[in-house]
Amino acid sequence: MTDTINTQQTPALRPALPLPEAAARGLAAVGGLATAASAFLAWTYSSAFPGDLTVNGYPGGLQWVTLVAGLLVLLYALTGYRVPGLRWLAPGGAEGATVIVAFGALATTWFTLIAIADELGGLANLASGGWVAGIASLVALLGALGLPRDGVAADADNPLKRVVGYPGKRPDLRPAPALPVAVELLIITLALALGLGIFTFGIDTSYGELFGGFLITAVFAAWALSRSGALGRLTDITSRHRVFTAVGAFVAAAIFPFTQNSDANASIGVNLLIFGATALGLNVVVGLTGLLDLGYVAFLGVGAYTGALVSGAATSSLHVTFPFWAAAITGAAVSGIFGVILGAPTLRVRGDYLAIVTLGFGEIFRIVVNNLDGVSGPNVTGGPNGIPNIPDLSIFGFNLGNAHTIGGITLGRFANYFELMLVFIAIIVLVFSRSSSSRIGRAWVAIREDETAATAMGINAFRFKLLAFALGATLAGLAGTVMAHVGFSVVPDPFVFAGPVPPNSAFLLAAVVIGGMGTVTGPLIGAALFYLLQAKLQFLQSYQLLLFGIALILFMRFRPEGLIANKQRQLEFHEDETESAAELSTAGA
């Protein structure tokens, strides 16, 4: 891939360490190579640590993650030497990205060493390979810190920019020329395959330490790819082939159950899709319209209870059995009606008052379903015991509760529901995309930016806000009908503002804000990240609100637009940085 670089360069920041550039780059490369090579040495004397790190000649457990982290440092360091074939890894410059991956390798390595010392009783349990890894990762970071980096001189007092350079979009990088269509489609396919492989590895991690190391490396690698311009170039390619990318993404997701040997990971996958679909519905309300809804999970509960009541459960008070499609439509419709009922009297208030009202609605829903137990009120929801023994779905004679063999691979119960939920996700993504790009979507964005100005321009703010509430509730209810069958029962415990078990309103709101408000993929990635944290790191369940709070503070400070940024909001949040970079570029000219 050929890159054209503008000669109008922004002023360079001095490196954090006073080293000659050639020596610093060589030190980073040697440190990265040594870090990767240390994975083939024994790190402990005892096999009690998960993954058995006592073997020489073959990596195990967290050593695989360290191997990848070290190779990333080596690749980015070699990119600075302009090695043929590696420029695609850093079209916008490799210096800042080298620092980031070096920090990632250091964090992953020392996370492992500290975990070994904690679980086995001290650093004395480290074998020679562990010490080599720790020292090599430090050497790699020292070399990376000696590299010169581009940045904005006015922001030199910012520690983050001082270390990695200018973190935003490179103002001196021109768009790359379009490649042949076949090549671009191949790049998209390879990127999707790599994404599937990374997700499969992450969800297959069998213990918390391995998932923690994987997460550290993945976060720093994604940051480095963004900083180097590689993700930006990939985004440019996917934007030219949106339909192919969308279809390929769903195909890759559909392949996921076929990569699993057990149904346990498929269970995580289907719940992840349920919460991602619900987060997309909340994104209509919060991301597009700008309405802070703190009781949104209640709409998911309405859909779940409605689906359970009309699906032939033995304890259902309605004693009816709808076909699946009718049950799904009923659950979505009832949730939409509840959205209208809530929105009609409350959407005339704004800001904090609306948040308080929606929070109250969420609590009212939980109290009501607890009281409809036949004692405090009519027996509709079963009270705290909920509605158990919900039968599995049967679609065209295909019972989703039974295992099925396709192409020699057996798909269990949760894998079947995963594929069904993927179809629902496709429907919800289509509805969200069409709505956001329509006249209605533009009206929602106008209300989000300035409701008074939108009203002055002739937009009926109340009607459009009510429509957003109804659509968001409908999408949540659609996901709730599947959730009822996946879990065999529906109980009121998860449908609260904050709790140890997702879904809850705090979980969904954090997924939308951190994932990227107003985007399609942002809430899906945010929901996946938070649910995997809950599923893989069990000790975090007791610190859920603390985790959400810290994550929100960090993102509001360093990336307010979220992981997947809406272009308009990204320009708004980084307007000062863009103007500063443009002024410096003009001054250089």
Side-chain angles (χ1 to χ4, degrees), residues 358-442:
T358 55
L359 179 62
F361 169 73
E363 288 300 303
I364 290 171
F365 171 79
R366 181 182 61 83
I367 294 171
V368 168
V369 296
N370 269 300
N371 288 336
L372 296 180
D373 57 355
V375 178
S376 301
N379 186 13
V380 178
T381 63
N385 295 325
I387 303 176
N389 301 322
I390 300 173
D392 283 307
L393 292 174
S394 180
I395 303 175
F396 302 116
F398 188 91
N399 192 317
L400 273 67
N402 299 330
H404 299 273
T405 301
I406 300 177
I409 300 176
T410 301
L411 298 182
R413 177 179 183 273
F414 291 111
N416 296 330
Y417 279 105
F418 179 92
E419 301 292 355
L420 173 65
M421 195 61 217
L422 198 61
V423 175
F424 275 59
I425 284 283
I427 295 173
I428 292 174
V429 167
L430 179 63
V431 172
F432 180 88
S433 300
R434 300 298 295 175
S435 299
S436 61
S437 59
S438 67
R439 182 177 64 88
I440 296 174
R442 293 193 292 271

Side-chain angles (χ1 to χ4, degrees), residues 143-463:
L145 290 175
L147 297 174
R149 289 172 296 285
D150 62 307
V152 181
D155 290 323
D157 57 339
N158 186 320
L160 179 63
K161 294 182 182 179
R162 182 68 179 172
V163 173
V164 302
Y166 183 70
K169 183 180 180 180
R170 287 286 302 273
D172 57 344
L173 182 63
R174 291 177 178 174
L179 297 171
V181 174
V183 175
E184 292 191 339
L185 296 182
L186 178 61
I187 291 174
I188 295 174
T189 303
L190 293 176
L192 292 173
L194 179 62
L196 176 61
I198 293 173
F199 177 78
T200 301
F201 180 87
I203 207 170
D204 276 339
T205 52
S206 55
Y207 49 94
E209 293 87 351
L210 181 56
F211 180 78
F214 160 78
L215 186 63
I216 293 171
T217 301
V219 169
F220 277 96
W223 185 10
L225 289 172
S226 177
R227 173 65 184 85
S228 65
L231 284 184
R233 287 291 161 82
L234 180 61
T235 301
D236 292 339
I237 294 174
T238 57
S239 64
R240 291 194 287 269
H241 307 282
R242 295 182 184 274
V243 175
F244 180 84
T245 303
V247 173
F250 279 103
V251 170
I255 294 174
F256 165 72
F258 293 89
T259 66
Q260 304 302 305
N261 295 323
S262 68
D263 217 25
N265 289 336
S267 171
I268 297 176
V270 67
N271 283 289
L272 189 153
L273 290 181
I274 290 172
F275 304 145
T278 311
L280 271 177
L282 179 61
N283 198 23
V284 174
V285 180
V286 177
L288 293 181
T289 319
L291 305 175
L292 184 57
D293 188 348
L294 299 182
Y296 181 79
V297 74
F299 297 125
L300 180 68
V302 171
Y305 272 101
T306 303
L309 288 171
V310 301
S311 295
T315 57
S316 171
S317 58
L318 299 184
H319 304 294
V320 296
T321 303
F322 285 5
F324 163 69
W325 62 268
I329 293 175
T330 303
V334 172
S335 292
I337 292 171
F338 269 84
V340 174
I341 293 174
L342 171 63
T346 61
L347 285 178
R348 299 188 186 278
V349 299
R350 304 183 188 179
D352 298 339
Y353 299 101
L354 178 62
I356 293 171
V357 170
T358 55
L359 179 62
F361 169 73
E363 288 300 303
I364 290 171
F365 171 79
R366 181 182 61 83
I367 294 171
V368 168
V369 296
N370 269 300
N371 288 336
L372 296 180
D373 57 355
V375 178
S376 301
N379 186 13
V380 178
T381 63
N385 295 325
I387 303 176
N389 301 322
I390 300 173
D392 283 307
L393 292 174
S394 180
I395 303 175
F396 302 116
F398 188 91
N399 192 317
L400 273 67
N402 299 330
H404 299 273
T405 301
I406 300 177
I409 300 176
T410 301
L411 298 182
R413 177 179 183 273
F414 291 111
N416 296 330
Y417 279 105
F418 179 92
E419 301 292 355
L420 173 65
M421 195 61 217
L422 198 61
V423 175
F424 275 59
I425 284 283
I427 295 173
I428 292 174
V429 167
L430 179 63
V431 172
F432 180 88
S433 300
R434 300 298 295 175
S435 299
S436 61
S437 59
S438 67
R439 182 177 64 88
I440 296 174
R442 293 193 292 271
W444 286 337
V445 173
I447 293 171
R448 181 193 69 195
E449 297 301 323
D450 193 328
E451 184 175 341
T452 303
T455 304
M457 296 301 294
I459 295 176
N460 189 330
F462 174 76
R463 187 181 70 179

Side-chain angles (χ1 to χ4, degrees), residues 8-11 152 166 169-172 574-589:
Q8 300 175 0
Q9 299 289 334
T10 56
V152 181
Y166 183 70
K169 183 180 180 180
R170 287 286 302 273
D172 57 344
H574 297 284
E575 183 177 359
D576 295 338
E577 293 179 358
T578 304
E579 291 178 354
S580 178
E583 291 173 0
L584 286 169
S585 180
T586 303

